[in-house]
Amino acid sequence: MAKKAPGEMSFLDHLEELRWVLVRSTIAILVGAVVAFTFSKWIFDNIVFAPKSSDFITYKFFCDLANKYDLDKSFCVTNIPFEIQSRTLDGQFSTDLWTSITAGIIIAFPFILYQFWKFISPALYANERKYAVWFIISTSILFFLGVLFGYYLIMPLSINFLGNYKISDVVKNDIDLDSYLSLIKTTVISCGLVFEMPILIYFLAKIGLVSADFLRKYRRHAFVIILILAAVVTPPDVVSQVIVTIPLIILYEVSILIAARMNRNKLEEANG
């Protein structure tokens, strides 16, 4: 994989190049953050706080599904009984600021990928560099799909479950703004990164750390881990867990296919 002749660039030259990659990526994030900050009121009203409303599209979809197939009517959300409060003087401003930065990271993600690809591309063979567009597009699509998966599936299920959970009628739910935003940011970013599994497996298979046989051998172990993960991030009902589990299992199976393809390519190169 490393084709670049030694001595062409010194260690300090590489550090300088990496510094500029980080600088350009930071600038892109700040530009995205400024755009998000400009439209912050719309973002909060229509995106951030939307899953708190019983009219949210996910709740309507599951309610229609429950009515159509005579499923558990708990999917029909009529009320999420908690209020969101800010208890610090700078709470709303700092929340606005950090939410804008998070949005900036999401918006700038393809550009950040491009910058890091440019940084590592001199160390790749010519036939590997030609996959730059494929790498950036596929990685970006998987990341955005993960973000949407977290926002439209895991977030509404979590908010509905946690918002309606009660240990006693004595306790009133007044949720801190920072707690609510932290759950959203952690969920969507984590899902975006989890959806990068096929890309991660591609590189691990390329350098020989994993193989398709290894992934097949431990498939059952992986499925158990996925089920545990789904149980942790969803309400305690089977349907919700299945909804979260299916995409993760599909990603794992796709990763096996990718690893198998990489293994075949390595064998062809060795024999060819």
Side-chain angles (χ1 to χ4, degrees), residues 205-249:
K206 190 171 184 62
I207 62 179
L209 287 181
V210 298
S211 65
D213 291 337
F214 175 86
L215 295 174
R216 292 190 186 102
K217 179 180 179 181
Y218 292 99
R219 178 189 272 125
R220 286 180 297 178
H221 301 78
F223 286 177
V224 170
I225 294 173
I226 289 173
L227 286 171
I228 293 173
L229 179 64
V232 170
V233 300
T234 61
D237 64 82
V238 176
V239 177
S240 300
Q241 292 172 13
V242 169
I243 290 169
V244 173
T245 300
I246 289 176
L248 297 181
I249 290 178

Side-chain angles (χ1 to χ4, degrees), residues 20-34 104 108 111-112:
W20 278 107
V21 167
L22 295 175
V23 168
R24 287 190 290 267
S25 299
T26 301
I27 292 173
I29 292 172
L30 291 177
V31 170
V34 169
F111 180 80
I112 296 171

